[in-house]
């Protein structure tokens, strides 16, 4: 750093530090008398362990009660005792970002999970930032290839679009994300695994993502055993990293599994600080944090972040509060159907319940017409399937249903895809058009 630059930074360096003392620990929360701080600031708690070892734990200011500062730690609280020194930093959480992170697996603090040190040459960025100004967001007018026929053909996604993947447990969300990460033509993948089982993190990286996907990805993992604050920070850290690369002109693919566990973590924090439970036990802060997180992705003047957020729906109820709130914010939704999975159709995408709100704006009319025609045929078959299976439908009663019965196996075959198979978008659209023109003839 040049001397002139150093001189400019000298007035910004604080000449004193602000301290407080731990006076109470209740559940997940730590109460401190001081230091002077703001919501979101990081504080350092100086802990003396029983073995004489001195450690510094990080915590975040999440609220105030009279003159008491309410903190939530990023790690466990078993070593914290009354009287521990609390040092205020006056700054929110920052993480290091840069191209050298590509191919690495990080935690919510942006540190390598394998214990190695961070590469040199990284820059600091704040994890919680404001979404782009609505008037500075360029319209989405370019398609993004994800390499999955059912999506590229029937639910075409644009660069900068935000899509939700809605499904119950065990229907193939992680497998579908792995397919997209390996097959997409985006410049970079940023993958956030929030609230996953510890066993599943390595399995996803090695089996679903694979070496091919990892070498063009950055993975942020916050497992279910970690404190609620760490799970939330994992989502914000992943978004901040994606924003860094977007601001440098890249087309970034952000995948988060799952936004439901982010909401659950925020519910834990909200209840701990005294928020009243509202809809199905979720606190009001849950529904305020979701748009703040989800609106940060999309387009800006420099690049794009195309986002896929998985939503874990309880009991396959697509209208539960988090699913309903997320669906209203995003630009489309892909529904994975357990019934289709039980039939052996993978990916188990129900095209009748799924929609891409931008497909009509980014696809040519021939493509849109073919997709709508096949969707209608599939709807006619689905509507009459029970009658067909019990033999109550007589051939010739309806021309549309007769055609639907004839082409249903071809449509299902088009929607199926092996999880290791990559299908270019041009091929997906070409097959769709051929199928549509064949049906119309």
């Amino acid at each position: 750093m040049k001397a002139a630059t150093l001189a400019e930074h000298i007035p910004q360096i604080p000449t004193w530090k602000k301290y407080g003392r731990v006076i109470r620990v209740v559940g997940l929360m730590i109460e401190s008398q001081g230091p002077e701080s703001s919501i979101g600031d990081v504080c350092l708690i100086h802990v003396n362990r029983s073995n004489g070892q001195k450690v510094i734990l990080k915590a975040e200011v999440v609220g105030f009660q009279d003159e008491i500062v309410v903190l939530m730690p990023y790690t466990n609280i078993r070593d914290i005792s009354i009287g521990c020194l609390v040092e205020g930093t006056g700054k929110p959480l920052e993480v290091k970002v840069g191209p050298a992170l590509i191919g690495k697996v990080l935690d919510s603090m942006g540190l390598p999970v394998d214990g190695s040190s961070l590469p040199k040459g990284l820059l600091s960025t704040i994890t919680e930032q404001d979404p782009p100004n609505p008037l500075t967001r360029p319209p989405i007018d370019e398609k993004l290839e994800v390499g999955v026929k059912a999506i590229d053909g029937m639910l075409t996604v644009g660069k900068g679009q935000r899509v939700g993947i809605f499904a119950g447990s065990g229907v193939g969300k992680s497998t579908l994300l792995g397919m997209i990460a390996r097959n997409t033509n985006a410049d970079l993948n940023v993958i956030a695994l929030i609230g996953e089982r510890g066993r599943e993190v390595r399995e996803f990286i090695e089996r679903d993502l694979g070496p091919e996907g990892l070498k063009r990805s950055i993975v942020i993992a916050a497992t279910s055993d970690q404190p609620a604050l760490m799970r939330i920070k994992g989502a914000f850290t992943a978004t901040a990293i994606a924003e860094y690369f977007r601001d440098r002109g890249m087309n970034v693919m952000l995948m988060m599994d799952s936004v439901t566990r982010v909401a659950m973590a925020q519910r834990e924090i909200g209840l701990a600080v005294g928020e009243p439970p509202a809809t199905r036990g979720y606190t009001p802060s849950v529904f305020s944090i979701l748009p703040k997180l989800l609106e940060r992705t999309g387009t800006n003047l420099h690049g794009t972040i195309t986002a896929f957020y998985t939503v874990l729906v309880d009991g396959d109820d697509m209208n539960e509060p988090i699913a309903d709130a997320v669906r209203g914010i995003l630009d489309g939704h892909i529904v994975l159907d357990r019934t289709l999975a039980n039939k052996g159709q993978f990916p188990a995408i129900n095209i009748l319940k799924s929609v891409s709100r931008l497909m009509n704006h980014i696809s040519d009319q021939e493509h849109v017409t073919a997709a709508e025609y096949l969707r209608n045929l599939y709807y006619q078959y689905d509507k009459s399937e029970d009658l067909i299976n019990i033999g109550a439908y007589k051939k010739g009663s309806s021309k549309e249903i007769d055609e639907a019965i004839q082409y249903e196996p071809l449509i299902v075959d088009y929607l199926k895809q092996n999880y290791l198979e990559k299908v270019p978008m041009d091929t997906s659209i070409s097959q769709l058009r051929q199928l549509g023109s064949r049906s119309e003839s």
Side-chain angles (χ1 to χ4, degrees), residues 72-84:
M72 176 163 278
Y74 290 118
T75 56
N76 63 71
I77 61 175
R78 66 173 179 266
D79 294 317
I80 297 174
S81 60
I82 299 297
C84 284

Side-chain angles (χ1 to χ4, degrees), residues 148-167:
V148 180
K149 286 190 294 182
I151 298 177
D152 284 340
M154 303 294 293
L155 304 163
T156 311
V157 174
K159 291 181 179 179
Q161 186 171 348
R162 302 159 305 152
V163 182
I165 300 176
F166 295 74

